[in-house]
Amino acid sequence: MQIPENIKTINRVLTQAGFQCYVVGGAVRNYVAGLKPKDYDLTTNAHPDDVISLFRRTVPTGLEHGTVTILMGKEQYEITTFRTESTYSDSRHPDKIEFAESIEEDLSRRDFTMNALAWDVSHKKIIDLHGGTEAIKKKIIKAIGSADERFKEDALRILRAVRFVSQLGFSVEQETLKAAVQASEGIQNVSMERIRDELIKTIQGAYCSDAFLLLHKAGILGLILPELEECSNIDQKGMHSFDVLTHSIYSCEGAPGENLIVRTAALLHDIGKNPCRKIDDEGNISFHHHENIGADMAEKILKRMKFPGAAVKEIRHLIRQHMFHYTDEWSDAAVRRFIARVGVENINNLFLLRGADSYGMQRTRTAPDTYNRFKRRIHEQIEQNHAISLKDLSVNGNELAEAGIPKSPVMGVILSELLDTVLDDPSLNRRENLIEIALNLYKEIRSSKS
């Protein structure tokens, strides 16, 4: 296992002081799985006070859990004292944390066998007391000891197992899955922030569709995203090969994994179809305006799950706009209106969402040529620097006020009308033209009210 020089230095300082040092967690698991380690978590029998005294730059990250962050150059390394944990009365937090004497005790408290591995930095060997190496080779997620006890201790471990399905493509061992289902009601005792963090990692995993289908089949999805679960068995026609739930899950898979905004929008983009579903006398199914209802529903879901406000706003906007229908007959003015409605900054993500939506229909990547033609026309209009938003107008509110239009809601109406005017005819985006048009509009509004 290739260990960064900083960790070798940390190990040397600790061992010279009579302590032990091990790499644990995801770095060791990834190494065994043939993946590149990301973060390096460390554990030691040195108590936090010992760590702080031995290293010049430290941060007391979580002393109540025995965790200190060591700063070396631009890098940070969390190191936690060996510990054991007692009962979990609230299915969330251990009632008591005590420092342990050995690495063996520390590893036995962890959740899954694949995570109960340690790399002995001094002797350059893996410590595997629970069959973690074999589980990784077989791509199995298996609880340590009693699966029932592990999930009763902390129900978030259920979602952690699902997250590992998404990230690694592993499957959950049958007894572990059975115990997870039986303990799943405990998820309701877990803080929404912790659920959100696991959900984000699941959404971004390379095998996210396997993970969400597992949540659905195990009857757990409804505890986290009941609005999405309710899309199960909502059939669709036309190009669709799947029900709304399965289509949504595959759409999530079809979006770029690193793009959390688009992946989340893809997962939720059709949740409005269930409440909007209509069947006429001839058996035809329709979902009129589902994008508007779905955008509102997505906003409530994401706020409930404590997503950042900016992300909520962007995802809501993408869902609301995802049902555009372009044809080559669109005028240049129509293209500019589309750009103005969507926002230049959202164009790329909106097309990624449409591509994911298309993928989710049949799980194939066959974007129609019209998309590429539409993209070209959009870029042509953007490159011509036409006015697309209010800030692009050659006149602003202060200038209208100087011309005699009071700052009031009426001014907002007039500015919107000016933007519509230049979207239709960009040549009119000159200060003198716009002030003249604005004054005429103001006169019309005043006369209509008198």
Side-chain angles (χ1 to χ4, degrees):
M1 186 173 179
Q2 298 299 313
I3 299 297
E5 289 300 318
N6 283 343
I7 291 181
K8 293 178 182 178
T9 299
I10 293 171
N11 177 67
R12 183 169 61 253
V13 171
L14 286 168
T15 54
Q16 288 177 353
F19 298 111
Q20 301 167 26
C21 178
Y22 301 90
V23 178
V24 291
V28 188
R29 182 190 66 236
N30 286 359
Y31 164 67
V32 174
L35 304 172
K36 184 178 180 179
K38 296 179 181 178
D39 300 325
Y40 290 85
D41 293 327
L42 307 175
T43 189
T44 179
N45 59 339
H47 285 205
D49 290 344
D50 298 321
V51 175
I52 291 172
S53 67
L54 287 169
F55 295 92
R56 186 168 59 88
R57 297 170 61 220
T58 61
V59 178
T61 313
L63 293 182
E64 69 277 14
H65 297 109
T67 302
V68 174
T69 298
I70 300 173
L71 307 178
M72 303 194 76
K74 295 181 179 179
E75 303 299 323
Q76 302 181 9
Y77 302 93
E78 281 195 356
I79 186 164
T80 302
T81 304
F82 299 160
R83 68 179 194 235
T84 59
E85 295 171 354
S86 62
T87 57
Y88 290 65
S89 299
D90 61 358
S91 298
R92 294 168 62 187
H93 308 106
D95 296 329
K96 186 178 181 183
I97 293 176
E98 293 183 348
F99 294 142
E101 297 297 323
S102 68
I103 184 65
E104 291 79 10
E105 289 178 273
D106 184 85
L107 294 178
S108 66
R109 71 174 174 82
R110 296 175 184 269
D111 50 8
F112 307 113
T113 60
M114 65 179 188
N115 292 333
L117 299 172
W119 177 262
D120 187 328
V121 182
S122 296
H123 300 95
K124 299 179 181 179
K125 67 177 183 178
I126 285 179
I127 297 175
D128 179 8
L129 307 174
H130 302 279
T133 301
E134 186 66 19
I136 292 170
K137 289 180 179 178
K138 292 182 177 180
K139 298 186 175 182
I140 294 293
I141 301 166
K142 181 180 180 182
I144 292 176
S146 167
D148 290 326
E149 290 300 319
R150 297 294 80 75
F151 293 130
K152 286 178 182 176
E153 288 170 352
D154 186 357
L156 187 72
R157 287 171 172 168
I158 299 169
L159 301 187
R160 277 174 56 81
V162 175
R163 184 244 292 184
F164 290 128
V165 170
S166 180
Q167 291 179 326
L168 302 172
F170 288 13
S171 59
V172 182
E173 183 254 350
Q174 202 59 39
E175 288 302 312
T176 300
L177 179 59
K178 181 180 177 181
V181 173
Q182 291 175 340
S184 60
E185 290 294 329
I187 292 173
Q188 296 174 352
N189 297 323
V190 179
S191 74
M192 194 56 73
E193 289 85 355
R194 296 177 77 206
I195 293 174
R196 175 205 59 210
D197 291 346
E198 291 300 326
L199 180 64
I200 286 174
K201 294 172 184 176
T202 302
I203 287 172
Q204 293 191 282
Y207 305 91
C208 63
S209 61
D210 293 340
F212 281 108
L213 289 172
L214 174 63
L215 282 171
H216 166 61
K217 292 174 183 176
I220 300 172
L221 182 61
L223 297 173
I224 311 162
L225 293 170
E227 299 90 344
L228 187 60
E229 174 62 33
E230 288 168 2
C231 293
S232 176
N233 297 319
I234 302 296
D235 293 328
Q236 307 178 90
K237 293 185 178 181
M239 298 290 291
H240 286 278
S241 299
F242 311 106
D243 67 3
V244 175
L245 171 62
T246 309
H247 162 69
S248 300
I249 290 171
Y250 286 144
S251 294
C252 180
E253 175 186 80
E258 72 281 359
N259 194 323
L260 176 64
I261 296 296
V262 176
R263 275 224 163 170
T264 306
L267 183 67
L268 301 178
H269 77 286
D270 273 351
I271 55 171
K273 282 187 172 179
N274 182 40
C276 290
R277 183 171 178 260
K278 294 286 188 296
I279 302 177
D280 64 21
D281 295 338
E282 297 178 0
N284 298 311
I285 302 173
S286 64
F287 306 98
H288 296 309
H289 307 301
H290 74 274
E291 67 275 19
N292 297 327
I293 300 298
D296 293 341
M297 292 174 66
E299 180 179 26
K300 291 179 182 178
I301 292 168
L302 297 173
K303 284 184 175 179
R304 181 178 77 221
M305 303 202 78
K306 313 293 185 182
F307 271 68
V312 175
K313 183 178 179 181
E314 190 172 355
I315 292 166
R316 183 185 193 279
H317 183 62
L318 290 175
I319 292 174
R320 183 176 290 278
Q321 299 298 333
H322 85 274
M323 286 297 292
F324 62 87
H325 294 285
Y326 168 78
T327 68
D328 292 330
E329 287 71 38
W330 277 27
S331 65
D332 287 344
V335 175
R336 289 192 293 272
R337 288 182 182 281
F338 175 84
I339 299 170
R341 185 175 73 250
V342 172
V344 173
E345 70 280 8
N346 297 310
I347 294 291
N348 186 57
N349 276 351
L350 184 59
F351 274 94
L352 290 175
L353 176 56
R354 280 299 290 262
D357 188 5
S358 178
Y359 173 87
M361 291 180 184
Q362 298 181 358
R363 218 178 178 191
T364 56
R365 299 192 184 277
T366 53
D369 290 339
T370 51
Y371 282 8
N372 293 326
R373 294 197 296 274
F374 190 20
K375 285 181 184 178
R376 284 195 295 271
R377 292 192 64 188
I378 288 172
H379 290 305
E380 287 170 1
Q381 293 300 316
I382 292 174
E383 288 171 0
Q384 292 177 38
N385 292 318
H386 293 314
I388 299 298
S389 64
L390 292 176
K391 64 181 178 60
D392 299 325
L393 292 176
S394 296
V395 68
N396 58 37
N398 290 331
E399 291 171 303
L400 293 183
E402 291 174 2
I405 300 174
K407 291 185 177 181
S408 65
V410 170
M411 182 180 284
V413 173
I414 291 173
L415 284 168
S416 295
E417 289 289 341
L418 293 180
L419 179 59
D420 280 342
T421 298
V422 299
L423 286 171
D424 280 334
D425 186 353
S427 69
L428 293 175
N429 192 23
R430 294 186 176 89
R431 183 179 183 277
E432 57 275 16
N433 291 339
L434 297 183
I435 288 179
E436 181 181 353
I437 295 170
L439 289 173
N440 289 332
L441 286 170
Y442 182 53
K443 289 178 182 177
E444 290 178 13
I445 293 172
R446 288 187 65 185
S447 61
S448 68
K449 290 183 178 180
S450 61

